[in-house]
Structures are given as structure tokens and as C-alpha cells.
Amino acid sequence: MTILINSVIILSLLLGTFFIVMTAVGLVRFPDAYTRAHAASKSATLGVLFILIGVFIYFWQIEGTYNSRIILGIVFIFITGPIGGHIMARAAYFSGVKPTERTVRDDLKEEYERKKRSL
Amino acid sequence: MAVQILLNVFLALVWMFLSNTFTGVGFITGYLLGLIMLYMMRHMFKSRFYLHRVWAVIKLFLLFFKELWNANIDVVKHAMKPKITMTPAFFAYPTELTADWEITLLSNLITLTPGTIVVHVSDDGKTLYIHAIDLDDVDEAIASIQNTFEKAIVEVTRT
């Protein structure tokens, strides 16, 4: 039983670290602010989630303390993570950060021009 | 829905007073009996029997975790490609949801799922402007959001 629990903990910590490393790789390699926001808002959320789950299981099964604050932490990260990504992408667009040349289609441009005129 | 849950808790409390068992077990017994009563009287309420909605919420959660996993595999694939070959795009997505909290929930779900981030919500709340990391076909992307998330959210809010 201990072996099973240990392997679950190790697997979840490894997965979390893997996703966070991949976030960092994506942040370096992706061409513009918006594609970087993709990497930062998704993989980082899931990476932190896996690490927190690993920590939770460790303290619950090995140390014997049931720590509900970790669960709350997971919930809070889930609520705030995507909103952070959204706000940063929006602020970048409306302060005039150009998307990469690969961008094939831009429906937001009209809305941006309209907003700029109305200010 | 809230009225039905409140009524169910109230019925459980009545059961606890009737049987004089003020314990967790007594509450659960009363709650289950109250559930049966509410199910038999479901035609007297304006909205659906509330367990349908609870079930819809659970399905939405499962869908969300599945899509979150897919999204991360997607990002990892893009990050590990030897040559960056993505074709990002901004596209407009017309939504049929009206309440503010539904739109917030939808944009949260879209942001955490494969290859899409909500960049801007129009002032009237009818259009979401979405940035896709790798866009092949706009109609297909819109249809896939509509068929998964919007349908699941409508399933929750339907009376």
C-alpha cells in the first residue's frame, strides 16, 4: 500500500514539474505575447495543480495530517489562473502590442479601432 | 433549485425531530426520505427536479478536466516541436448566453481549454473575441466550443 501511495505521489510531482518546465520552454520559444499567454495560463495551472495534489497526498497518507488548505489553494488557482491570462492578453492588445506575422486572421481589429475612436 | 434544496434540508430537520435522532446519520436518513418525497412531488415545482441539475454540474466538471488535460498536451506538443509552425488568429465567437455569470464561466472554460484564450468580451456581452494558438478552420472551432461548453452550461441553467 505504501509503495502504491508513494508511486502516486512521485508520478504527480513528476507530471507537475514536467508541465511547469514545458511552460518555461514555451515562454522562451513562442513568438509573441498572446501565444506566450497560452503557455503561461494553461500548463502552469495544471502543473501547480499536480504538485499541490502530490503534497496533499503526501501529508495525508504518510504524515497523517489532513490539510484542507491545500484543496482550497487548488480551487483558488483554478479560479484566478485563467483570469490572469485573459487580463494580460487583453491589456497587451489594447495597449497596441502587435501580434506575430504568422497571425492569419484578426477579427478584434475592428473592435479595437472602434474603441479607440470612442475614447 | 435553491428552494428545492432548502425544502429538502427542512424535511431532513423535521425527520430528525420526529425520530429524535440529532446525529449525522439521522440527518442523512431524513435527507434521503425527503429526496424521495420531492421526487414524487416534482410536478408541483416550476423548475426541474434538482438532482438533474446537480448531475449536469458534475458532467460539466468532468468535461472541464478532460479538456484541461487535452489543452496541456497541446501546449506541450507546440513547445517541443523542433520548428514553430503555429498559425495564431483572433476570431469572433457569437454566444447565446445572456447572464453575466454564464459568460464569465464560459470564458474561464474557454481560456483553460485547448488552444484558445478569451481576449475581449464586447460591451453588449454578445461576442467573445478569442485568440486561438493554431487555427485551421474558424467554423469548426466555433462549432466545437458550442457543442461542448455552451451546451453543458445551458444544460445547467435550463429550468
Side-chain angles (χ1 to χ4, degrees):
Chain A
M1 195 60 193
T2 324
I3 296 171
L4 184 70
I5 289 165
N6 274 333
S7 37
V8 168
I9 293 169
I10 291 169
L11 189 71
S12 125
L13 289 182
L14 273 181
L15 266 177
T17 327
F18 173 72
F19 279 125
I20 287 178
V21 169
M22 278 304 139
T23 308
V25 172
L27 284 180
V28 174
R29 291 195 63 206
F30 284 178
D32 67 348
Y34 308 104
T35 43
R36 283 181 191 141
H38 277 274
S41 70
K42 289 188 188 100
S43 316
T45 313
L46 196 70
V48 173
L49 169 97
F50 269 120
I51 288 181
L52 283 182
I53 286 179
V55 170
F56 176 73
I57 296 174
Y58 174 79
F59 277 106
W60 182 28
Q61 292 291 341
I62 310 289
E63 304 271 321
T65 52
Y66 183 87
N67 197 337
S68 54
R69 264 165 273 174
I70 298 174
I71 302 287
L72 262 190
I74 292 172
V75 173
F76 283 153
I77 282 172
F78 256 89
I79 296 169
T80 52
I83 294 177
H86 159 70
I87 288 294
M88 280 187 280
R90 187 175 190 277
Y93 198 95
F94 281 93
S95 51
V97 175
K98 289 267 171 300
T100 168
E101 286 112 40
R102 294 172 192 280
T103 307
V104 288
R105 187 188 160 107
D106 201 344
D107 290 346
L108 188 51
K109 203 158 201 137
E110 296 157 31
E111 176 86 2
Y112 174 63
E113 299 293 338
R114 205 174 56 72
K115 281 232 149 196
K116 217 163 65 172
R117 272 201 304 278
S118 71
L119 283 177
Chain B
M1 178 187 176
V3 173
Q4 293 185 36
I5 291 177
L6 208 61
L7 192 59
N8 204 341
V9 171
F10 178 71
L11 285 173
L13 282 178
V14 170
W15 173 259
M16 281 159 80
F17 272 88
L18 277 176
S19 59
N20 205 13
T21 52
F22 295 96
T23 56
V25 177
F27 183 80
I28 291 170
T29 317
Y31 199 89
L32 290 177
L33 289 173
L35 207 60
I36 294 168
M37 281 173 69
L38 282 180
Y39 183 71
M40 290 195 294
M41 297 194 296
R42 65 191 180 279
H43 300 298
M44 301 171 79
F45 299 105
K46 282 203 185 79
S47 52
R48 289 178 294 166
F49 181 54
Y50 78 93
L51 276 195
H52 288 302
R53 205 175 283 187
V54 172
W55 177 235
V57 170
I58 293 171
K59 272 206 291 204
L60 186 62
F61 255 97
L62 293 180
L63 175 75
F64 168 68
F65 278 110
K66 193 187 115 216
E67 296 288 321
L68 182 68
W69 178 257
N70 289 344
N72 282 280
I73 298 298
D74 209 43
V75 167
V76 167
K77 266 188 201 154
H78 274 296
M80 296 220 301
K81 257 184 199 162
K83 203 163 179 298
I84 301 272
T85 55
M86 56 179 79
T87 51
F90 294 92
F91 65 93
Y93 170 75
T95 179
E96 282 153 25
L97 302 176
T98 46
D100 278 350
W101 70 270
E102 292 169 3
I103 294 172
T104 312
L105 185 61
L106 182 67
S107 23
N108 252 0
L109 290 176
I110 290 173
T111 300
L112 275 179
T113 51
T116 45
I117 279 192
V118 176
V119 180
H120 177 63
V121 181
S122 69
D123 293 336
D124 56 0
K126 289 210 172 76
T127 317
L128 303 179
Y129 292 92
I130 299 175
H131 179 258
I133 199 171
D134 198 1
L135 191 81
D136 302 323
D137 182 15
V138 179
D139 297 326
E140 199 183 306
I142 290 178
S144 85
I145 295 174
Q146 249 161 3
N147 287 335
T148 53
F149 292 125
E150 201 160 334
K151 225 164 100 184
I153 292 176
V154 166
E155 191 67 24
V156 172
T157 56
R158 188 162 63 94
T159 53

